[in-house]
Amino acid sequence: MKPKTMIQKEVARLSATLRPISPKQTEWAYTNCVEHIAYRAKSGMLTCPDCGHSWKSGDGTLCDTLEGCICPHCGAELKVHDTRRRTQKGVRYFCILTTCRGYQVIRVAQAHYSSKKGEPMKFYCTEVVQRWISPDGKVTDMALLRTFPSYYCDQWSLYSDMEVRPYNSLYDDVCKWSEVYPLIRTIPQLRRNGFKGDFYGISPVLLFKRLLSDTWIETLMKAGEIEDMKYFILNPRNAEMLWSSYLIARRHHYKINSLELWCDYLQMLNNLGQDIRNPKNICPANFIDAHDRAMRRIEAKRMKERTENERRWEA
Ligand SMILES: [Zn+2]
């Protein structure tokens, strides 16, 4: 797709200036993203999937199975599986977090590995997606073309160009599946907004985007309220609707044991026409009782609505 907007044009131009994934990064991916599993035959012979070397295990099979082993030839740390298979192959994703001219960039590479017993492993990486996040949280995607439109998400057309492409949820997925290369570079806005290098199990794209565009996420990150932050990131509708109530409750030093249940409770109050900014409503002393009561009232309301509907049908 030809870049159209200003930001797309800029991203396309800057993307062309990035250096390719380095040999060091590729090597890290080879060591950390691929499972290195030695072939162990019935005879007890082990074969290294990395270099192809074979040797007789000295430590006994149980020890190898539990602790893994080290290839005496290339030094690779290996897991050990009993197998009659003679090949292993797979696809993994990893990403490199870097910066470029004020943008936070997430570069996702696909790594292919294939091993044939007795031969050195074949391994190659291709960069398939780049996500460019502006300091105010706008995302522009660059990507290779995919060869199949839907199901075969691992099929990238490796000879296509890295181009600005319309949003595709697959880009979210490959980012989520990616192992993160440990040398991270971040833009100052992220650090200012509280990012200290930990993703807390959230995908980097999601965390970065939200941390740059939502002040509430920033507030929670800085306050160290990580569980609440995660909940609001994954439930943006609740965050949008209940954020002010959440702040009011916090200001009243109200202890929320389960944010999920509490949000559920507030949704019910709102549904019943109650003021969800009134601390009397949203900070009940006995939460479980209050939640149960609200549930019963909602149920009664639904029943009433159903009866009225039926009556209207009959009339
Ligand atoms: Zn080896």
Side-chain angles (χ1 to χ4, degrees), residues 266-294:
L266 260 68
Q267 294 281 11
M268 290 193 286
L269 290 187
N270 190 50
N271 191 317
L272 294 165
Q274 295 206 13
D275 181 6
I276 53 168
R277 307 223 170 165
N278 183 341
K280 280 210 187 82
N281 292 335
I282 63 175
C283 307
N286 188 331
F287 177 76
I288 301 293
D289 276 1
H291 188 274
D292 280 356
R293 224 176 308 127

Side-chain angles (χ1 to χ4, degrees), residues 43-96:
S43 61
M45 282 299 278
L46 292 162
T47 303
C48 173
D50 289 23
C51 69
H53 176 71
S54 288
W55 73 100
K56 178 99 180 140
S57 165
D59 295 341
T61 48
L62 185 63
C63 187
D64 286 337
T65 308
L66 295 177
E67 291 174 18
C69 66
I70 289 180
C71 169
H73 182 250
C74 72
E77 282 182 39
L78 306 170
K79 287 185 183 170
V80 178
H81 284 184
D82 279 318
T83 180
R84 291 172 65 183
R85 284 172 54 183
R86 305 189 54 84
T87 57
Q88 302 170 34
K89 64 177 178 179
V91 166
R92 296 285 180 275
Y93 287 91
F94 68 100
C95 68
I96 294 152

Side-chain angles (χ1 to χ4, degrees), residues 92-94 153-154 170 172-179 203:
R92 296 285 180 275
Y93 287 91
F94 68 100
C153 50
D154 287 336
L170 173 71
D172 295 330
D173 293 337
V174 292
C175 289
K176 250 180 265 164
W177 300 332
S178 293
E179 299 276 348
S203 115

Side-chain angles (χ1 to χ4, degrees), residues 8-53:
Q8 288 174 349
K9 283 179 189 162
E10 188 181 24
V11 163
R13 188 172 53 76
L14 290 175
S15 172
T17 68
L18 292 179
R19 273 183 290 176
I21 307 281
S22 74
K24 207 175 143 199
Q25 290 160 338
T26 307
E27 202 184 307
W28 175 85
Y30 178 71
T31 312
N32 294 282
C33 304
V34 173
E35 275 206 306
H36 300 263
I37 300 172
Y39 302 87
R40 181 170 57 197
K42 268 210 173 117
S43 61
M45 282 299 278
L46 292 162
T47 303
C48 173
D50 289 23
C51 69
H53 176 71

